[in-house]
Amino acid sequence: MDKIAAIKSFTKESLAADLSGHGYDHARRVVTNAEMIMKSVAGVDQEVVLAAAYLHDTIDDKVVSDVAVATRKVQRLLEMNDFSQEQITMILAIIQNMSFSRSLEQKVQLSREGQIVQDADRLDALGAIGIMRTAYFGGSHGHPLHDPEILPIDYQNKADYRQGSTVINHFYEKLLKIADTMHTTPAKAEARRRKAFMEDFLTEFFAEWGSEEA
Ligand code: ADP
Ligand code: NI
């Protein structure tokens, strides 16, 4: 089995039980997005990008109960599959620092490889898939779909962000914001398209919701 195939099967197993929109199907789409981006970006370590794209949610506190244990497991997996120490350091730095919630606590400069994986992950938070994942996540966490009395929050830390508010607010609290944070040219173009689709969706949503007085 080649290196990336081993990472893929580990990811499949690790994310099998996820019911929050961070299952293996999400990891697979992030890999596909990263491959699309890499077609027009030269000079990056493709193994690092692909491994980080697969593994990025396997050490996330949303998905695992013990982040330190999960991180050691990923490190051992990479060592056993002949990734170099330099690659392992790069992959861990990417998956520990790329998330939106992490950037609320501390903004760490990502490598070029990290920027590609972050763009690829953020694309999957947008568009039709982004809308569905957000509704699914909100449902699994008991959030209301929409409440005009609850205003979007400008989160300043991860704990408050994890509390969340409503499904519709999440579009304003995160999704529309990240569409403007892409690093690579192909992701910028795709994010613009997906953001426009989400804005059309929101216009239609509010039209159908109607006014409270009616
Ligand atoms: P990151 O992994 O970059 O920190 P999150 O894990 O917070 O990002 O979010 C990943 C996806 O999970 C979001 O794009 C969204 O679809 C869903 N999600 C996360 N938090 C919420 C929330 N409070 N309400 C609805 N969906 C959410
Ligand atoms: Ni992700």
Side-chain angles (χ1 to χ4, degrees), residues 22-40:
H22 299 83
Y24 174 73
D25 62 303
H26 165 62
R28 180 193 57 74
R29 291 189 302 272
V30 174
V31 169
T32 306
N33 292 341
E35 285 171 335
M36 179 275 287
I37 294 168
M38 282 197 288
K39 280 191 187 137
S40 38

Side-chain angles (χ1 to χ4, degrees), residues 28-96:
R28 180 193 57 74
R29 291 189 302 272
V30 174
V31 169
T32 306
N33 292 341
E35 285 171 335
M36 179 275 287
I37 294 168
M38 282 197 288
K39 280 191 187 137
S40 38
V41 180
V44 294
D45 185 331
Q46 298 209 2
E47 280 182 355
V48 167
V49 170
L50 295 177
Y54 274 120
L55 294 171
H56 78 278
D57 275 331
T58 63
I59 61 158
D60 194 296
D61 65 292
K62 293 183 304 286
V63 177
V64 298
S65 53
D66 190 328
V67 172
V69 168
T71 307
R72 277 198 297 279
K73 213 163 145 188
V74 164
Q75 184 161 5
R76 268 200 307 278
L77 169 82
L78 293 168
E79 283 164 359
M80 270 167 18
N81 285 284
D82 298 326
F83 285 82
S84 71
Q85 270 316 314
E86 198 191 338
Q87 286 181 312
I88 296 173
T89 305
M90 279 180 82
I91 293 165
L92 291 178
I94 294 169
I95 67 181
Q96 285 170 332

